[in-house]
Amino acid sequence: MQKAKQKYTLFTGKALALLIIPIVIEAALSMSLGMIDGLMASYAKSGAGDNVLTAITGVDQIASLITQLFAAFGVGGAIITSQFLGAGKPDDANKSAKQLMVIMLIFALVITAACLGLNNPIIRLLFGEAGDETLSNAYIYFYIISASFPFIALFNCCAAVLRAQRKSMNTMVSGIISFFLNIGFNAIFIYACNMGIAGVALGTLLARIFPAFFTLFLVSRKNNAVRIKVFEKFRFDGGMIKRVLKLAVPSGIENSLFQLGKILVISFITIGIYKVGELNIQSAANSVSYNINMVSSIVGNGVNTATLTVIGQAVGTGNISQVKFYVRRMLLINYIGNACCVAVTFGLSPVLLNFYNISGEARAVAWNCLLLCLPVQIVTYPLSFGMPAVLKANSDVKYVMAAAISSMIILRVGLCYILTCEWAGVKLGAMGLWIGMVSDWAMRGILFGGRYLSGKWKTKSGLLKPVEVYGESERVAEEQLSEVFEKRENK
């Protein structure tokens, strides 16, 4: 007799759509802001905006290094909260959320103080022998942007908790308002007040304050399954902090070193032997192609964020067959969504390139870089960046950290260095950087895909042992959890 195919209802098609679509929209707005900031700033002064654009992109790489740390803590919090909800332990979920918020705020304040105090040394280390105008722009931009780090940390914490309880619509609304605030402030400060790059930074700072407090208000409401009580007496819980850090620290190390690799890669051009004119061309080309490539990753990044919630709650039920089912479903969604987004971006690339106020030489180099990276991304992205989200949701964070760092050092940094340095006789400039990066994507896909196929991730859950038999207790827990969230969605 043929065994009946198991139907899983923890996340219905409607529930997945309501979770993923708002996250993708939010990701689109967030990533597009980097490109819009660059566009608006490149017209802040007469002539080509290569210097301004290079300064913004370089500083944004440093800022991303820091925000990736906050994102890693958010990932740890989202995984634990999702697993607690899946296991039917809301009190533990509430406790972990409050501990997470306090840890992140303390950490963010320390980082902000360090960045404000070490502004000049950090910028000189990154930009090397770049022109005086580029350095001056970078000093101003980094100083103002550093003040936004505590607000980024608060937002990442609150957004992670909201997404874990399937309230991604709330974070999307916050992102939409912040997006238009940023553009509005930029227009006022850049064009009306003629503040140049300082106006871009100030607009970004003010736009980041709003979503931090807005999401904090949302996550503190009484009708939440997981609620952060802001004014409740707080005590550090060593056991809970250790559990959060167990997931957050490896992710933080991975994300930070990955971002550090990006910064090192950029420095191969800026501290190299290129003449100033050629330096500006290669740097601007890399900046523009990077911004456009980020647009092509919007859907994939949104699906990856949703994967943490979906797989985390599936892990919490303790049923490994259900976890596998949702892994396959999320991977399929990732491939389809990523391919469509890349195809649209590729078709619009000639138009997007013309929007930038950069030299014709820089625009030509950027187009060649996009011709290389976008087709490769269609094949590699879901495995190289989507599969790590699956493994992290199963608490397999140490392997993700080790594999990502190894690939980054060997290919993203090592190969890029060889392809951009004069001693190797190659000196490909921005194109050399992108060859190294797409090679890194391919290697990540092999490492993470192989890990999943090996099945070793099954024993890494920090809450419950995965079971092969779908027992009645797990079925009841799943049905109750699905019913709770469906009632909230209908409200």
Side-chain angles (χ1 to χ4, degrees), residues 20 38 61 76 170 218 331 333 343 350 396 424 460 475 487 491:
I20 294 172
Q61 293 289 345
N170 290 335
L218 292 175
L331 192 61
I333 293 172
D396 196 7
K460 296 297 181 179
R475 183 188 304 280
K487 285 180 179 178
K491 286 182 181 179

Side-chain angles (χ1 to χ4, degrees), residues 197-259:
I197 198 167
V200 180
L202 190 58
T204 300
L205 168 61
L206 294 176
R208 286 175 175 173
I209 293 174
F210 169 78
F213 287 108
F214 182 66
T215 52
L216 179 61
F217 164 74
L218 292 175
V219 84
S220 64
R221 292 190 300 181
K222 293 182 179 180
N223 63 338
N224 291 330
V226 181
R227 178 190 178 199
I228 295 179
K229 298 179 182 179
V230 178
F231 300 107
E232 184 182 54
K233 187 176 180 180
F234 176 80
R235 289 183 180 179
F236 287 103
D237 185 325
M240 189 63 70
I241 291 174
K242 182 178 179 181
R243 179 168 279 180
V244 172
L245 293 180
K246 185 178 179 181
L247 294 175
V249 169
S251 293
I253 294 173
E254 175 216 337
N255 290 355
S256 298
L257 290 181
F258 184 77
Q259 194 63 35

Side-chain angles (χ1 to χ4, degrees), residues 300-440:
N301 280 332
V303 175
N304 295 344
T305 301
T307 297
L308 295 171
T309 297
V310 174
I311 304 303
Q313 288 190 16
V315 169
T317 65
N319 186 275
I320 200 65
S321 297
Q322 182 171 216
V323 173
K324 290 179 179 179
F325 171 81
Y326 283 110
V327 168
R328 291 192 296 269
R329 175 162 289 190
M330 295 306 292
L331 192 61
L332 177 62
I333 293 172
N334 205 331
Y335 263 108
I336 295 173
N338 175 68
C340 292
C341 190
V342 172
V344 171
T345 304
F346 188 82
L348 294 176
S349 289
V351 178
L352 295 175
L353 286 171
N354 287 326
F355 283 162
Y356 284 92
N357 184 28
I358 59 175
S359 62
E361 294 91 340
R363 191 175 291 111
V365 174
W367 172 242
N368 288 332
C369 293
L370 292 171
L371 285 176
L372 169 68
C373 70
L374 292 179
V376 175
Q377 183 176 324
I378 293 178
V379 179
T380 61
Y381 186 90
L383 287 178
S384 58
F385 294 98
M387 191 55 72
V390 170
L391 298 176
K392 287 177 183 179
N394 281 276
S395 304
D396 196 7
V397 290
K398 290 183 179 179
Y399 176 83
V400 173
M401 176 187 69
I405 292 174
S406 299
S407 179
M408 182 267 294
I409 292 175
I410 295 171
L411 295 172
R412 183 175 289 264
V413 175
L415 183 58
C416 285
Y417 182 69
I418 293 173
L419 295 178
T420 55
C421 287
E422 187 178 33
W423 66 265
V426 183
K427 197 179 174 185
L428 294 178
M431 179 60 73
L433 304 186
W434 281 99
I435 292 174
M437 282 191 278
V438 299
S439 300
D440 177 46

Side-chain angles (χ1 to χ4, degrees), residues 19 429 438 482:
L19 176 67
V438 299
S482 300

Side-chain angles (χ1 to χ4, degrees), residues 254-275:
E254 175 216 337
N255 290 355
S256 298
L257 290 181
F258 184 77
Q259 194 63 35
L260 182 60
K262 289 184 178 180
I263 295 173
L264 286 173
V265 163
I266 292 176
S267 71
F268 294 158
I269 291 178
T270 58
I271 66 176
I273 49 79
Y274 299 99
K275 296 178 181 179

